[in-house]
Amino acid sequence: KACVLSVGAGVSSCEPRCAMHRSRSFVGFLQFFSLACAVAWVFLFLGTHGPRAHAQATYGEFLRRQRKHEENNENTRSGGRGRGRGRGRGSSDVVLELLSDAPKAGAVCLDGSPPGYYYRQGWGSGENRFLIFIDGGGWCYDEQDCYTRSFTFLGSSGAWPARKPPPGPIFSADSDVNPDFHNWNVVEIAYCDGASFSGNLDDYIVVNNKRIYFRGYRILEYVMRHLLDTKGLQGATDVLLGGCSAGGIATILHADYMRTFLDERVNVKAVPFSGFFPDTSNFEGQNWFHDVVTSVYKMQNVSGSMSTSCLAENQGRESDCFFAQNAYKYINTVPIFLVNSVYDSWTIQNIYNVTKWFPKNQLDRLVPFLNSKAKLVYNLITKTKTWQSEGNGGFLNTCVSHCYGCCNPTGWNQVEINGTTVKDAVGNWFFERSNADIKSPPPCQFSTSPPYQCNPTCQT
């Protein structure tokens, strides 16, 4: 029988061998999902990439693997012409812009180091167009967890490389891979605050004699001002805001705020990938996730970065505005297009607590449970004025994956809904191409027998 994780000041594992991971065990990130049939039972195997002792870094490890995968694919397509070149211009690498003066404005990573972003200049028709993408990498759930994270690239800029390949095909400079955005200015905002750029605590805390800062919201402000002052954002004609995982929910939380930095004539839209994490119970009927999010909200003083309309309508439950399903309802100045699986793999393992240790005597309930949660997620999104508003839409799929749409070549160019890929759906929506259906239909549901997956284009 599986044990049940407890929720206190943070999240602790009930498995003695996992005690060292504390809340970090929850941010371990799924890379694959495999269902097999044996003796009328459904066996589920969910795993993570990278050492479990470094669960916070698994999103970064995932991106590094996907970068290598994309590089190999692009070199093959281009006949060895070089990484990401294709029919583009020059290297597709993004270069670090470390904001050394940002600490003077109070904008710092968890460890007090300066924040930054990675940049690649646009050219041709993309010279005045910007893709501003917010990196992800989970949250830190308590003070000790944030202390541990402050020694990693998700809490400090100290080990950030000076240049690197971008983390997925949506950034590709190859026009075959990325026909709509390949020559745009690329801004990849590096993630080092532990709470989706939402913390806004004036003072610092001290953990094990080390100062820890919660200043993500100030980082976001400083980055936007720096782009206006130094990278030509003030002359932009089109801006696509985006992000994945923790960066995806950051896009939902802060799209309206980021829009305030830009002239009203600029065409600004937002596309969060895998950022819709439901406030719901797990398989055991417990909603541990709600308590954890509320705890982070208080620890990092998130209230100052939330929608004022949401806060006003949720007095006494202000922390509810930190959930994607609530923040999404209050987006009102930026058209938004959600790319999200209703069977999101991070959600399945972490929020639903369905892992490879799932109790085998309850496997007959597994697929019906996942199907009911998939329907819940779809309804949380589509039964809102935001979804139903003209100009908003989404690509709501059934692939058991996370960050698949933006950061994996297969997820970007092969997964289809009614014959349309993520690549085409995002482009059609942004450029308002005629006859484009920007609201995906209700997704299919898993079957209780092989092959389970109901969308044959999902390779997860």
Side-chain angles (χ1 to χ4, degrees):
K1 182 178 179 180
C3 61
V4 178
L5 289 155
S6 62
V7 178
V11 181
S12 300
S13 176
C14 51
E15 293 272 6
R17 62 177 176 161
C18 298
M20 65 182 290
H21 306 308
R22 294 175 58 79
S23 64
R24 284 177 291 147
S25 63
F26 281 110
V27 295
F29 172 61
L30 298 179
Q31 180 69 1
F32 65 88
F33 180 55
S34 174
L35 286 171
C37 182
V39 197
W41 291 107
V42 179
F43 285 92
L44 179 68
F45 296 91
L46 282 164
T48 59
H49 282 293
R52 289 178 63 85
H54 299 285
Q56 290 286 10
T58 55
Y59 177 75
E61 294 295 331
F62 165 75
L63 291 186
R64 280 192 281 274
R65 288 185 176 87
Q66 297 312 323
R67 290 169 194 160
K68 185 64 177 177
H69 188 181
E70 183 190 1
E71 291 163 21
N72 291 339
N73 284 352
E74 290 187 358
N75 279 332
T76 299
R77 279 189 295 268
S78 62
R81 286 175 289 180
R83 179 173 59 221
R85 290 176 185 267
R87 287 186 286 155
R89 185 186 73 173
S91 171
S92 69
D93 281 5
V94 288
V95 178
L96 177 62
E97 185 80 40
L98 193 64
L99 305 175
S100 56
D101 288 336
K104 298 176 183 177
V108 293
C109 298
L110 286 173
D111 69 338
S113 59
Y117 59 88
Y118 286 87
Y119 178 71
R120 186 181 72 219
Q121 187 174 3
W123 72 92
S125 62
E127 183 177 5
N128 295 316
R129 292 170 161 172
F130 284 76
L131 168 61
I132 301 178
F133 194 91
I134 305 173
D135 274 349
W139 290 356
C140 50
Y141 292 142
D142 58 31
E143 293 182 359
Q144 183 63 40
D145 198 22
C146 294
Y147 166 80
T148 302
R149 175 182 276 241
S150 72
F151 292 96
T152 74
F153 71 93
L154 289 171
S156 172
S157 62
W160 290 350
R163 64 185 303 132
K164 64 187 180 72
I170 194 173
F171 304 92
S172 178
D174 186 336
S175 57
D176 292 331
V177 176
N178 185 23
D180 288 316
F181 311 107
H182 69 278
N183 61 349
W184 286 33
N185 294 276
V186 168
V187 178
E188 181 190 347
I189 305 178
Y191 181 40
C192 65
D193 71 281
S196 295
F197 295 88
S198 300
N200 196 19
L201 188 66
D202 288 334
D203 205 355
Y204 55 82
I205 64 171
V206 178
V207 183
N208 298 333
N209 296 318
K210 182 178 182 179
R211 294 180 178 182
I212 302 297
Y213 299 84
F214 300 135
R215 305 280 181 79
Y217 197 57
R218 300 182 195 189
I219 293 174
L220 198 60
E221 176 186 4
Y222 197 92
V223 166
M224 292 300 292
R225 295 193 185 282
H226 194 268
L227 292 171
L228 289 167
D229 294 340
T230 69
K231 295 296 185 281
L233 184 61
Q234 78 282 359
T237 57
D238 299 274
V239 175
L240 178 59
L241 306 174
C244 183
S245 192
I249 189 172
T251 306
I252 294 171
L253 291 168
H254 305 311
D256 281 336
Y257 173 65
M258 296 173 76
R259 210 269 174 258
T260 63
F261 291 90
L262 300 165
D263 189 277
E264 61 181 13
R265 293 170 294 182
V266 182
N267 178 32
V268 183
K269 298 185 179 183
V271 55
F273 293 86
S274 301
F276 199 93
F277 303 105
D279 178 13
T280 186
S281 59
N282 61 18
F283 188 80
E284 293 82 14
Q286 300 173 341
N287 191 345
W288 73 269
F289 189 58
H290 185 92
D291 293 339
V292 167
V293 172
T294 301
S295 177
V296 174
Y297 179 91
K298 295 175 181 177
M299 177 180 69
Q300 290 226 17
N301 189 34
V302 169
S303 60
S305 64
M306 297 293 97
S307 160
T308 55
S309 297
C310 183
L311 293 174
E313 294 185 17
N314 290 275
Q315 294 184 22
R317 339 182 284 281
E318 288 85 356
S319 60
D320 286 359
C321 297
F322 203 19
F323 288 94
Q325 66 199 57
N326 299 316
Y328 177 69
K329 298 175 184 177
Y330 292 91
I331 297 172
N332 55 30
T333 64
V334 179
I336 188 167
F337 188 88
L338 296 177
V339 179
N340 218 96
S341 172
V342 294
Y343 296 90
D344 178 77
S345 56
W346 191 95
T347 298
I348 290 174
Q349 185 188 31
N350 294 281
I351 298 179
Y352 304 161
N353 195 28
V354 175
T355 71
K356 61 185 178 182
W357 295 285
F358 190 83
K360 292 183 173 56
N361 63 351
Q362 299 187 54
L363 285 170
D364 59 334
R365 296 174 51 206
L366 178 55
V367 170
F369 170 79
L370 294 177
N371 283 341
S372 68
K373 291 297 186 182
K375 186 175 181 179
L376 169 70
V377 171
Y378 181 78
N379 287 338
L380 286 173
I381 293 170
T382 61
K383 294 185 181 301
T384 62
K385 290 183 179 179
T386 303
W387 173 269
Q388 295 163 10
S389 295
E390 184 178 356
N392 294 338
F395 190 95
L396 306 180
N397 62 88
T398 65
C399 300
V400 182
S401 59
H402 192 70
C403 294
Y404 203 49
C406 64
C407 304
N408 181 288
T410 300
W412 174 249
N413 193 39
Q414 294 184 32
V415 173
E416 297 180 358
I417 296 177
N418 290 344
T420 300
T421 64
V422 173
K423 175 185 71 175
D424 293 334
V426 173
N428 291 342
W429 161 75
F430 188 89
F431 292 104
E432 300 177 10
R433 292 175 179 137
S434 60
N435 301 321
D437 187 359
I438 63 172
K439 290 179 171 63
S440 58
C444 57
Q445 295 220 305
F446 288 173
S447 62
T448 55
S449 59
Y452 309 105
Q453 174 60 254
C454 53
N455 184 341
T457 67
C458 290
Q459 300 180 28
T460 54

